[in-house]
Amino acid sequence: MKTIGFDSHNHDACISDALGIATDICAQQKLQFTPVRRRVLEILLHEHRAMGAYDILEVLSSEGLGSQPPVVYRALDFLVKHGLAHRIEGLNAYTACAHLDHEHVPAFLICRTCKAVAETDTGIAQGRLGQAAASAGFTIEKVVVEAEGLCPSCAGAAA
Amino acid sequence: MKTIGFDSHNHDACISDALGIATDICAQQKLQFTPVRRRVLEILLHEHRAMGAYDILEVLSSEGLGSQPPVVYRALDFLVKHGLAHRIEGLNAYTACAHLDHEHVPAFLICRTCKAVAETDTGIAQGRLGQAAASAGFTIEKVVVEAEGLCPSCAGAAA
DNA sequence: TGATAGTCGTTACATTATAACATATCAATA
DNA sequence: TATTGATATGTTATAATGTAACGACTATCA
Ligand SMILES: [Zn+2]
Ligand SMILES: [Zn+2]
Ligand SMILES: [Zn+2]
Ligand SMILES: [Zn+2]
């Protein structure tokens, strides 16, 4: 349950590690890790930030990889569906998964100032929400947990 | 921490109680509970469902209370800001608060079939997410917790 | 090689949300 | 009550986000 995103780290290695794991995952599941899909994941990895679909499209477009919305939405759908990226509901935005190496229910800490995203893990469905669901007879299929606030560096800058 | 939304109940009383409390809250805080604002809350209360802004606008419009998007978005902003309604991020939709009588951090159980919404309460910020935030030096200002799945009656219908 | 499923490029459109500005109303006080 | 500053509303226009649909292309495998 390590939190990634606000601490500094070897980011080039971080990116290439993630791309390697993603490549393996796609190979194992016989998924096509096409140029557009790979590039979108790279773009998301490059920032540890939430990016809007149209922000990503702008980059793709400048590289000749597609200029129409469906191109990026399809790539994002693929990445999200297979757990390589996550959608941040509170921002209508997307971020690369920071825990590619294991199954998880992601939870996010999102800086409202710089949009940096830290992904952590939560056993939320086993906690109070799980109890409430059970007692209501509700079957949970998917959980969104997002905390918005100030990251350490933005909090420091404001002080 | 009672969950409301999937159980049957005296709905007329439920609505008028909520409107009464909302009226009191506005009076206490010297907020203007104008006709549009009140009517939007009524519409949300009438269903225990997530409704899109444009769904609400359609009703308002048919009643001569305003026909342009800003009318409904302003009313929703007011209701959300003062805790009388909540935004459901995962659906880009809105629902009346079911716990007007006390401060709370809402969590939602949302049926993906009928869009019924049950609001429950969670101490999420004190749980694992709170720990993760603290250890990352992140200041939580707002938390979104939404579980999507099947409500009892939709689960029954599918079986 | 042909059949099949998956992917891509593109056009057009749907849905959700805001900016901006003029007008109207409210609430406190001079 | 008349003034006035803050709040709320009406309206137009547009921004931002997301999809449906269709034909062409490509990978995969029998
Ligand atoms: Zn993840
Ligand atoms: Zn920040
Ligand atoms: Zn509530
Ligand atoms: Zn249902």
Side-chain angles (χ1 to χ4, degrees):
Chain A
M1 200 178 84
K2 178 148 174 267
T3 297
I4 300 182
F6 301 141
D7 48 336
S8 62
H9 57 283
N10 183 336
H11 197 42
D12 290 342
C14 164
I15 292 177
S16 65
D17 284 0
L19 280 174
I21 298 177
T23 304
D24 291 349
I25 290 174
C26 290
Q28 275 166 30
Q29 302 185 26
K30 299 194 199 286
L31 303 171
Q32 299 182 41
F33 200 32
T34 64
V36 181
R37 290 168 178 179
R38 168 180 292 269
R39 186 66 188 123
V40 170
L41 183 57
E42 279 176 11
I43 293 167
L44 288 175
L45 282 165
H46 188 263
E47 332 264 334
H48 280 298
R49 269 179 50 224
M51 295 184 73
Y54 282 75
D55 296 333
I56 298 166
L57 181 58
E58 212 167 290
V59 179
L60 286 182
S61 177
S62 76
E63 297 173 350
L65 271 173
S67 57
Q68 301 307 320
V71 171
V72 71
Y73 280 104
R74 283 165 181 159
L76 288 169
D77 286 349
F78 171 88
L79 295 173
V80 169
K81 179 176 177 184
H82 297 101
L84 304 176
H86 302 292
R87 175 176 164 83
I88 306 293
E89 297 291 347
L91 298 175
N92 293 338
Y94 303 83
T95 191
C97 177
H99 293 156
L100 280 182
D101 54 345
H102 66 287
E103 280 292 312
H104 59 287
V105 177
F108 301 98
L109 303 175
I110 306 155
C111 179
R112 69 169 151 79
T113 300
C114 67
K115 306 299 182 217
V117 172
E119 178 177 345
T120 179
D121 202 341
T122 178
I124 182 71
Q126 285 88 49
R128 290 170 72 173
L129 186 61
Q131 291 166 23
S135 85
F138 186 91
T139 308
I140 294 180
E141 294 172 342
K142 182 188 142 193
V143 176
V144 173
V145 179
E146 299 175 3
E148 196 176 309
L150 276 183
C151 78
S153 75
C154 288
Chain B
M1 197 180 86
K2 179 148 175 265
T3 298
I4 300 183
F6 301 142
D7 49 335
S8 61
H9 57 284
N10 183 335
H11 197 42
D12 289 342
C14 166
I15 293 176
S16 66
D17 285 0
L19 281 174
I21 298 176
T23 304
D24 292 348
I25 290 174
C26 290
Q28 275 167 30
Q29 303 185 25
K30 299 194 200 282
L31 304 171
Q32 299 182 42
F33 200 31
T34 64
V36 181
R37 292 168 176 178
R38 169 182 290 268
R39 186 64 189 126
V40 170
L41 182 57
E42 278 177 10
I43 292 167
L44 289 174
L45 283 166
H46 188 262
E47 331 264 334
H48 279 298
R49 269 178 50 223
M51 295 184 74
Y54 282 75
D55 296 334
I56 299 166
L57 181 57
E58 211 168 290
V59 179
L60 286 183
S61 177
S62 76
E63 297 172 348
L65 271 173
S67 58
Q68 303 306 321
V71 171
V72 70
Y73 280 104
R74 283 166 181 159
L76 287 169
D77 286 349
F78 171 89
L79 295 173
V80 169
K81 179 175 178 186
H82 295 101
L84 304 177
H86 302 293
R87 175 177 164 84
I88 305 294
E89 297 291 348
L91 297 175
N92 294 337
Y94 303 83
T95 191
C97 177
H99 293 156
L100 281 182
D101 54 345
H102 65 288
E103 279 293 312
H104 59 288
V105 177
F108 301 97
L109 304 175
I110 305 155
C111 179
R112 68 168 151 79
T113 301
C114 67
K115 306 299 183 219
V117 172
E119 178 177 347
T120 178
D121 203 340
T122 179
I124 183 71
Q126 286 88 49
R128 290 170 72 173
L129 186 62
Q131 291 166 23
S135 86
F138 185 90
T139 309
I140 294 180
E141 293 173 341
K142 180 189 142 192
V143 176
V144 174
V145 179
E146 299 176 3
E148 196 176 311
L150 276 182
C151 76
S153 73
C154 288

